[in-house]
Amino acid sequence: LKPYRLKQFWRLHALAMAMNVEVSFEGSPGGDVVVVGADDVLGAWDAKKAARLSRSQEEAPAVWRGSVALPSPGAEFKLAIVRPSGEVECESLPNNGNRRFPSCGVHNGCTLRMHFGNPRVAVEASAEQIEANARSVRRFEDRQGSALQENVDRKGENAYYFAHTRSFEVPPDAKIISGPGLITGGAPVLLEAGVALDVPEHICLKEYSWSDSKDKVKVYVPLPEGLLPSDGAEGLVEFEYDAKRVALTINSSPKRKLQIDKLSEEICVDKCGARVEAHKNRIVLQLAKKRQTTWYNLTR
């Protein structure tokens, strides 16, 4: 098939096939959760045409569910929130990347589980797919000409691969029980997929708060829990002060950096300092004012 005909075939095929999507969300999103992506069945990046999910009222954290037509393998997509005002907020993934629909292991009736803002994708095969895999057996005639079959033909019961000569098939009326920890056989089933991400050189810290006092301004920088060790945290942190700029570097893996330019007023570089509070998961920057005047804004 030519590329455009193959794409058209997949779209027609997808209309008859669907997957279940489950998205967990901490707190209230303040709108509808949708799946939007490059494929036409996901709206072609138009949130108004995206696949909308419905919220389950019985679970905490909230779970949004829906049936979505199968997009093309490898198609890029994201989770997003459509607010009542029409504003669209896409999830924030590392390196501002997109998710990719798994290119294998996904079949009609499977379930994709995701958490809003986390690139990991868990895939659960449908009961029908699990049963089909369990009933599938490799025919002996498919092995003719292989090294395995040659070994069995030459050595018989003394062959290293003698166990492969035994024929076994699942009876048509057999009941197949599947679940966590149970092996039913068949082809491998994709359990989880994620976004292929490059490790960033550093992560920009964007959240902070500040307060103004008579002779100094304090900037409070919250950090992820456990980032700073209880002992020796001061040795990981570097500070840089200029007349109207302050920079913070945490030598973790990857590094964390904060830079605030165009301060509202000049600071006295020699008198600036900081407190590293590992037990509170934060760093407090203390900016000494050059002139004792009230700061109404941190930056210009």
Side-chain angles (χ1 to χ4, degrees):
L1 290 176
K2 295 183 178 180
Y4 71 92
R5 292 194 177 276
L6 182 62
K7 187 175 183 180
Q8 185 180 32
F9 168 79
W10 179 260
R11 288 176 181 171
L12 294 174
H13 183 62
L15 292 176
M17 303 181 69
M19 60 182 174
N20 301 309
V21 175
E22 295 184 5
V23 176
S24 58
F25 194 100
E26 295 290 345
S28 176
D32 293 333
V33 177
V34 303
V35 184
V36 62
D39 197 279
D40 288 345
V41 299
L42 300 179
W45 293 117
D46 184 351
K48 295 180 181 179
K49 301 178 182 179
R52 292 180 178 259
L53 308 180
S54 300
R55 181 176 180 176
S56 173
Q57 303 292 340
E58 303 175 354
E59 299 176 70
V63 177
W64 297 71
R65 292 186 172 91
S67 180
V68 179
L70 289 178
S72 304
E76 293 189 345
F77 71 100
K78 268 190 175 181
L79 304 176
I81 301 170
V82 179
R83 307 197 185 281
S85 63
E87 179 186 359
V88 178
E89 178 185 341
C90 289
E91 62 180 340
S92 177
L93 299 176
N95 288 347
N96 197 31
N98 296 326
R99 299 177 185 267
R100 282 190 179 275
F101 186 73
S103 58
C104 62
V106 178
H107 305 273
N108 184 40
C110 72
T111 300
L112 267 65
R113 292 190 174 91
M114 297 167 281
H115 186 83
F116 196 92
N118 187 324
R120 184 170 290 181
V121 179
V123 182
E124 179 181 315
S126 64
E128 292 77 9
Q129 183 61 29
I130 293 176
E131 183 171 344
N133 285 343
R135 292 185 183 281
S136 63
V137 293
R138 189 178 181 185
R139 299 180 304 169
F140 282 103
E141 50 266 31
D142 293 339
R143 294 205 307 246
Q144 296 301 321
S146 67
L148 182 150
Q149 191 61 43
E150 180 185 355
N151 180 272
V152 172
D153 293 340
R154 184 159 43 87
K155 297 186 178 181
E157 294 183 1
N158 295 323
Y160 180 79
Y161 301 104
F162 178 66
H164 291 269
T165 64
R166 291 175 290 181
S167 176
F168 174 79
E169 293 184 3
V170 180
D173 58 345
K175 181 179 180 180
I176 299 175
I177 301 175
S178 62
L182 299 179
I183 301 175
T184 57
V189 176
L190 179 65
L191 298 179
E192 193 170 80
V195 181
L197 301 173
D198 296 325
V199 179
E201 292 183 2
H202 69 270
I203 297 174
C204 293
L205 300 174
K206 299 180 180 180
E207 295 185 8
Y208 59 84
S209 58
W210 67 284
S211 64
D212 178 65
S213 61
K214 182 179 179 181
D215 57 355
K216 66 177 63 175
V217 171
K218 294 182 180 180
V219 181
Y220 303 88
V221 185
L223 301 172
E225 185 175 354
L227 179 65
L228 294 176
S230 56
D231 296 325
E234 293 81 0
L236 297 177
V237 185
E238 298 177 2
F239 307 97
E240 185 179 337
Y241 301 99
D242 291 328
K244 284 200 171 186
R245 184 185 72 93
V246 58
L248 161 69
T249 301
I250 304 173
N251 294 307
S252 56
S253 181
K255 292 184 177 181
R256 265 79 169 176
K257 291 187 176 184
L258 170 69
Q259 181 167 312
I260 304 175
D261 297 311
K262 299 181 181 179
L263 294 173
S264 182
E265 301 289 344
E266 289 190 13
I267 59 177
C268 197
V269 175
D270 296 337
K271 296 181 180 180
C272 292
R275 292 201 314 269
V276 180
E277 300 177 341
H279 62 291
K280 292 185 178 180
N281 298 304
R282 74 178 186 183
I283 293 175
V284 182
L285 304 175
Q286 300 174 342
L287 311 182
K289 295 180 179 179
K290 190 171 184 178
R291 294 186 303 123
Q292 291 188 2
T293 182
T294 302
W295 286 30
Y296 296 100
N297 298 289
L298 182 62
T299 60
R300 290 186 180 276

